[in-house]
Amino acid sequence: MFSQGGKGSETPIQPVRDSHATPRSSGETSIISADLKVIGNLVSGGDIQIKGVVEGDIKSRTVTIGEGAKVKGAINADSVHISGAINGQVEAPSVTVAKTAKVNGDIIHQTLSIEAGAHMEGNCRRIETKKPVDTTTSASIASLKPAASPAPAEVGKKAVGGG
Amino acid sequence: MFLNLGAARDDNARRPASGEILAVGEAYTVINGDLTVIGDLIGDGHIEVKGTVKGTINSRSVEILKTGVVEGAVIAESAIIRGQVIGPVRANTVIAATNARIVGSVFHNVLTIEPGAKLEGRRPWRPHIDRNLDNE
């Protein structure tokens, strides 16, 4: 028997919660598989696992570069784990370099771990505090563009010198 | 004989888009809802797009899920479109599911259009589509 008043079953009664409506909390990991090559930038508010090749910059919350993976470009994240090869600067509060890693570039970190056997070529620089990576797509895209217009300078708030 | 490709299929179902057998795992790429790729994806396995891709996708099997948006070409042997593609689609087997919106030509050999799919471009048939050739 059908319940009265309803127009059939075209819509569920409870509100549909689209997990993708709040992209920052989807909780799933994006995977770039071993057979895949990405020529371009990756911007994510979540986690990225790379097993293939990326030629471009990566901005994300966490980035895992798997064994056999190759990245040619800068990485900016909250946490980076490297087991593959990277050619470019890594900037993250937490950086882990595994023994299978091949890093060619600088690492800017707060906490750094390098396993014995890792191939490391570049400077390691420690920074005290780092703002969390802004992975809101629009902001990141703007910052990735070379000709992003600078923020307008604050004008007009001149302090009038008191006596 | 006939694959059940009902619109009710769960977006999170983890299986290849096409009927063919694909090695799940190494050849399975997921572009999640929170990921934006500004560039091209070139592969030989299965690519699942729930996020945004601003560039060309070329792989054996491609599935654009409901939340997926591609601003560029989708080139595959088998393509299932459940989301948006602003650009051409070139694949031997193309399935435009209920929520699909394709703004561009759909070059195909076998085309399935489910009720409700919005195809805003031409739909030329081809005897064979080679995804490694950059013709048409």
Side-chain angles (χ1 to χ4, degrees):
Chain A
M1 298 300 135
F2 294 111
S3 59
Q4 60 167 22
K7 251 189 158 187
S9 57
E10 59 177 335
T11 46
I13 293 154
Q14 68 177 94
V16 179
R17 267 184 50 211
D18 188 357
S19 61
H20 296 286
T22 50
R24 274 170 167 273
S25 57
S26 73
E28 250 186 279
T29 309
S30 292
I31 302 163
I32 306 296
S33 71
D35 68 298
L36 191 75
K37 187 175 181 181
V38 180
I39 304 165
N41 303 321
L42 303 172
V43 181
S44 171
D47 308 340
I48 305 179
Q49 202 176 337
I50 295 157
K51 299 173 185 169
V53 178
V54 176
E55 290 181 11
D57 300 341
I58 302 165
K59 268 192 178 198
S60 179
R61 192 173 59 196
T62 71
V63 178
T64 307
I65 299 166
E67 217 178 314
K70 278 183 195 153
V71 176
K72 216 172 172 183
I75 298 175
N76 197 333
D78 290 341
S79 168
V80 181
H81 186 97
I82 305 167
S83 305
I86 160 141
N87 209 320
Q89 180 181 278
V90 178
E91 192 175 347
S94 166
V95 180
T96 312
V97 182
K99 63 181 174 199
T100 50
K102 227 175 161 181
V103 180
N104 218 315
D106 298 350
I107 296 178
I108 300 165
H109 64 276
Q110 265 180 64
T111 56
L112 172 65
S113 142
I114 304 176
E115 205 180 337
H119 182 120
M120 213 7 252
E121 222 174 298
N123 298 318
C124 299
R125 198 147 48 85
R126 188 171 184 281
I127 43 150
E128 279 308 320
T129 48
K130 186 183 174 290
K131 285 184 288 182
V133 180
D134 184 7
T135 46
T136 45
T137 309
S138 54
S140 298
I141 290 168
S143 72
L144 288 167
K145 278 179 188 162
S149 57
E154 248 191 42
V155 210
K157 272 205 167 179
K158 253 194 234 168
V160 182
Chain B
M1 317 292 147
F2 210 83
L3 271 161
N4 178 21
L5 295 154
R9 222 204 83 183
D10 184 9
D11 265 6
N12 294 318
R14 285 209 148 230
R15 51 169 197 174
S18 57
E20 66 194 279
I21 294 143
L22 278 171
V24 178
E26 288 305 295
Y28 203 103
T29 294
V30 180
I31 305 298
N32 224 333
D34 47 25
L35 181 64
T36 301
V37 180
I38 306 152
D40 303 340
L41 299 170
I42 301 148
D44 207 29
H46 179 66
I47 301 179
E48 196 177 286
V49 179
K50 297 178 191 168
T52 307
V53 177
K54 296 183 179 183
T56 301
I57 301 176
N58 188 333
S59 192
R60 184 171 303 170
S61 155
V62 177
E63 182 168 5
I64 315 297
L65 289 146
K66 248 189 210 174
T67 53
V69 178
V70 179
E71 292 176 21
V74 174
I75 302 159
E77 274 163 35
S78 155
I80 300 185
I81 317 292
R82 299 174 195 280
Q84 271 197 68
V85 178
I86 321 269
V89 175
R90 298 210 304 123
N92 274 313
T93 311
V94 180
I95 296 167
T98 307
N99 291 300
R101 178 168 174 250
I102 304 173
V103 186
S105 301
V106 180
F107 296 91
H108 67 277
N109 184 254
V110 179
L111 174 63
T112 307
I113 306 173
E114 289 184 3
K118 301 169 194 75
L119 273 65
E120 299 183 18
R122 297 188 306 130
R123 297 179 285 283
W125 177 86
R126 293 287 182 270
H128 177 73
I129 287 165
D130 190 341
R131 68 184 176 89
N132 297 314
L133 294 178
D134 204 18
N135 53 2
E136 287 162 324

